[in-house]
Amino acid sequence: MVGMTSTSAAAPRSPGRPRSSRADEAIVEAVLDLLAEGGAVDSLSIEAIAARAGVGKATIYRRWAGKKELLRDALRTLKGAPPAPAGDSVRDDLVILLRGVGRHYDPRAVKIMPCLVSEVNRSPEQRRIFEEMSEPRRRVMREVLERGIATGELRPDLDVEVTLLLLTGPMLMRQLLGRLPERDPDELAGQLVDAVLAGLRPR
Amino acid sequence: MVGMTSTSAAAPRSPGRPRSSRADEAIVEAVLDLLAEGGAVDSLSIEAIAARAGVGKATIYRRWAGKKELLRDALRTLKGAPPAPAGDSVRDDLVILLRGVGRHYDPRAVKIMPCLVSEVNRSPEQRRIFEEMSEPRRRVMREVLERGIATGELRPDLDVEVTLLLLTGPMLMRQLLGRLPERDPDELAGQLVDAVLAGLRPR
């Protein structure tokens, strides 16, 4: 549950008070609950997190160096591993990847992510957390585009970074602004990929 | 300054206390300042607005029915009129329109708009305000696309609503997430339009 961190036996422990992974989970859950209830990332306090998790502040500080590290771990648990494209056709792989844009397994993410996005331009720390969350997915999509250029499925002069923005922007805006609510998001992902592949000009 | 409202002579006045357009401006400015300083739309109070504008609450209520109406007028002043496309080529018109996406004349808008976006999914009222602000621009872009289909510059089977999302999503994401900061946004608008028109597949 706690993503990139672990309570492995190699980690130093305070004798007599072993780290509790139950407490770790409760702390991470408290952070996500407080954020989902509308708490701004900046105003979240260790006191409030400890109270919500039913632990002492010392328990949090034994496990995380500070709020920054705790937030990063908590937000990481919202996103699972990036989807693995099948590798058969670039079109199908892009559809799979677009279906995952803005999709989260934790229902609290729907409330938390737009707020985090709105803070990205205010705080370098929020930007770093957001980039750490999105970069693994961006890397997979970049690889699919580069493969498509190599196989000739895509134009050789394609601008990969512009194409990333072109493909992910509409899906993120759909979710952030609730555009085209009547369309099934999975179908929309296919429509967007096909429109971008074919282009708007008649052939 | 106050957008769709006016202090025309036809409006009823309280005798002896004429409406002051200076006060109106101060009130609107107070709303925008408070929002730009990080105040959430929901937590903004008429008391705080009155204090900031240096007027009494009664002055606000003489002019606006409530907070909702005042907010709507204040937010409207952030956006000027939608850009008028030249009408020569669909490509050039789309570039002009994309250059305007997420562009505001008021520097406070850069701070206010991401927050408003993040509240669109929480509040039907915020959504209505946001839609009222964006719909005039969407309408102009829709007309350009429909003209392109009619002239044959665009595919006859184009899905206009998907294309709107396809064109505006990347520009909005660029601004919200600060993507491709090294690229000039005006050039990027042209690159995005050309990429979407040509399509990603080799011709």
Side-chain angles (χ1 to χ4, degrees):
Chain A
M1 279 297 281
V2 191
M4 306 289 288
T5 58
S6 76
T7 51
S8 77
R13 295 181 173 217
S14 338
R17 284 190 83 175
R19 279 183 183 161
S20 149
S21 66
R22 278 251 295 279
D24 287 356
E25 265 187 42
I27 293 163
V28 162
E29 292 297 298
V31 171
L32 297 177
D33 283 344
L34 289 168
L35 289 176
E37 285 162 16
V41 170
D42 281 346
S43 64
L44 214 65
S45 71
I46 293 287
E47 284 78 6
I49 296 163
R52 180 63 165 258
V55 303
K57 281 167 61 176
T59 306
I60 296 182
Y61 284 118
R62 256 198 300 282
R63 181 69 181 71
W64 286 277
K67 196 179 103 173
K68 226 191 308 191
E69 291 74 11
L70 169 53
L71 261 173
R72 196 176 301 160
D73 276 356
L75 289 170
R76 269 188 188 130
T77 67
L78 288 179
K79 287 233 178 203
D88 295 329
S89 94
V90 164
R91 186 260 173 206
D92 292 349
D93 283 355
L94 290 177
V95 173
I96 288 169
L97 294 176
L98 271 209
R99 283 179 177 169
V101 169
R103 246 351 141 72
H104 311 277
Y105 297 108
D106 192 310
R108 290 168 297 193
V110 177
K111 287 178 184 272
I112 294 174
M113 292 311 291
C115 301
L116 190 61
V117 164
S118 81
E119 296 195 46
V120 158
N121 280 323
R122 296 189 190 221
S123 148
E125 176 58 23
Q126 302 313 324
R127 173 179 300 278
R128 197 158 42 244
I129 292 177
F130 187 86
E131 292 295 348
E132 278 183 23
M133 291 174 74
S134 57
E135 187 50 33
R137 288 171 163 68
R138 293 167 60 77
R139 196 178 307 129
V140 174
M141 193 175 286
R142 213 176 270 124
E143 284 164 5
V144 169
L145 293 174
E146 278 157 4
R147 196 185 85 217
I149 294 171
T151 60
E153 286 168 275
L154 302 179
R155 313 163 67 90
D157 61 342
L158 199 82
D159 184 321
V160 171
E161 295 307 312
V162 167
T163 308
L164 274 183
L165 195 63
L166 198 52
L167 290 165
T168 55
M171 286 303 281
L172 278 167
M173 289 321 292
R174 182 201 72 82
Q175 184 159 25
L176 275 179
L177 299 181
R179 294 279 186 226
L180 303 182
E182 72 285 4
R183 309 233 185 165
D184 176 78
D186 283 348
E187 261 180 61
L188 183 62
Q191 291 168 333
L192 284 166
V193 169
D194 288 333
V196 173
L197 285 173
L200 304 185
R201 285 217 179 90
R203 298 217 168 199
Chain B
M1 279 300 283
V2 190
M4 304 291 288
T5 58
S6 76
T7 50
S8 77
R13 296 180 173 218
S14 337
R17 283 189 82 174
R19 277 183 184 162
S20 151
S21 64
R22 279 251 295 278
D24 287 357
E25 267 186 39
I27 293 162
V28 163
E29 292 296 299
V31 171
L32 297 178
D33 283 344
L34 289 168
L35 289 176
E37 286 163 14
V41 170
D42 282 346
S43 64
L44 214 64
S45 71
I46 293 287
E47 285 78 5
I49 296 164
R52 180 64 165 257
V55 303
K57 281 169 58 176
T59 305
I60 296 181
Y61 284 119
R62 257 199 300 282
R63 183 67 182 73
W64 286 277
K67 195 179 103 173
K68 225 192 304 194
E69 290 75 11
L70 169 53
L71 260 174
R72 197 176 298 162
D73 276 357
L75 290 170
R76 266 186 189 135
T77 68
L78 288 179
K79 288 234 176 202
D88 296 329
S89 94
V90 163
R91 187 261 172 203
D92 292 348
D93 284 356
L94 289 177
V95 173
I96 288 169
L97 295 175
L98 270 210
R99 283 179 178 170
V101 169
R103 238 6 131 70
H104 313 278
Y105 298 109
D106 192 311
R108 288 169 297 194
V110 177
K111 288 178 184 271
I112 295 173
M113 294 309 292
C115 303
L116 190 60
V117 165
S118 79
E119 296 193 44
V120 158
N121 281 324
R122 294 187 190 221
S123 146
E125 177 58 23
Q126 302 313 325
R127 174 179 300 277
R128 195 156 47 241
I129 291 178
F130 187 86
E131 292 296 348
E132 279 183 24
M133 291 174 73
S134 59
E135 187 50 32
R137 288 172 164 66
R138 293 169 60 78
R139 195 179 307 128
V140 174
M141 193 174 286
R142 214 177 268 125
E143 284 163 7
V144 170
L145 293 173
E146 277 157 4
R147 197 186 85 217
I149 295 170
T151 61
E153 288 167 274
L154 302 180
R155 313 163 69 90
D157 60 342
L158 200 80
D159 185 321
V160 171
E161 295 307 314
V162 167
T163 308
L164 273 184
L165 196 64
L166 197 52
L167 289 165
T168 56
M171 286 302 279
L172 278 167
M173 288 321 291
R174 182 201 72 82
Q175 185 159 27
L176 274 180
L177 298 183
R179 294 277 187 228
L180 300 183
E182 72 286 2
R183 309 234 184 166
D184 175 78
D186 284 350
E187 263 180 61
L188 183 63
Q191 291 169 333
L192 284 167
V193 168
D194 288 333
V196 173
L197 284 172
L200 303 186
R201 284 215 180 92
R203 297 217 169 200

